[in-house]
């Protein structure tokens, strides 16, 4: 159960960001704030020609709902996508019925589909 644990991976891999770079904001007011982390135009670190990746991670205060939101995902590759428990003993990826690329993948590697949102709702 190697670190990192307790991971949220919207599209985990070696990325390089163009301008603007990664944006972070807290929206709303307590107890219903949302943490938003946005990658407005990323590519792969190896300089993959034509890759334009626009995605966001949104975490809702109070409910714990986590959204992975994808805009343009031109040239997207199969990378780790999903959540891992704080102790590293469990992980979940977007459901295959909603995330077709997860059906084709193995493990937690998926290719995000553009113009999609995948919601994780914590169980009580």
């Amino acid at each position: 159960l190697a670190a990192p644990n307790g991971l949220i991976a919207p599209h985990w891999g070696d990325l390089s960001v163009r301008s603007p770079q990664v944006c972070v904001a807290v929206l709303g007011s307590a107890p219903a704030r949302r943490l938003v982390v946005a990658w407005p135009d990323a590519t792969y670190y190896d300089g993959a020609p034509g890759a334009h990746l626009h995605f966001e991670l949104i975490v809702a205060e109070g409910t714990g709902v986590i959204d992975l939101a994808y805009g343009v995902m031109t040239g997207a590759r199969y990378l780790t996508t999903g959540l891992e428990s704080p102790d590293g003993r469990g992980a979940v990826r977007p459901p295959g019925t909603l995330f077709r690329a997860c059906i084709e993948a193995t493990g937690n590697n998926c290719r995000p589909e553009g113009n999609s949102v995948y919601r994780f709702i914590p169980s009580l």
Side-chain angles (χ1 to χ4, degrees):
L1 308 185
N5 292 322
L7 179 72
I8 301 173
H11 194 57
W12 189 26
D14 290 334
L15 300 176
S16 177
V17 290
R18 298 176 177 100
S19 183
Q21 296 188 2
V22 176
C23 301
V24 179
V26 176
L27 305 174
S29 56
R33 294 174 287 198
R34 290 176 291 142
L35 169 67
V36 179
V37 182
W39 291 258
D41 190 13
T43 188
Y44 298 100
Y45 189 73
D46 64 8
H52 289 274
L53 314 169
H54 304 253
F55 58 97
E56 296 180 358
L57 159 67
I58 304 153
V59 181
E61 180 181 32
T63 65
V65 169
I66 297 171
D67 288 325
L68 304 181
Y70 301 92
V72 172
M73 293 299 288
T74 305
R77 296 178 179 169
Y78 286 90
L79 292 177
T80 299
T81 304
L83 312 178
E84 184 185 54
S85 64
D87 65 6
R89 295 184 182 274
V92 63
R93 65 180 182 188
T97 56
L98 298 176
F99 207 19
R100 291 186 312 271
C102 283
I103 295 171
E104 304 163 8
T106 59
N108 289 315
N109 289 329
C110 298
R111 185 182 64 240
E113 298 167 14
N115 301 314
S116 299
V117 176
Y118 304 101
R119 176 163 282 180
F120 296 89
I121 300 172
S123 58
L124 298 175

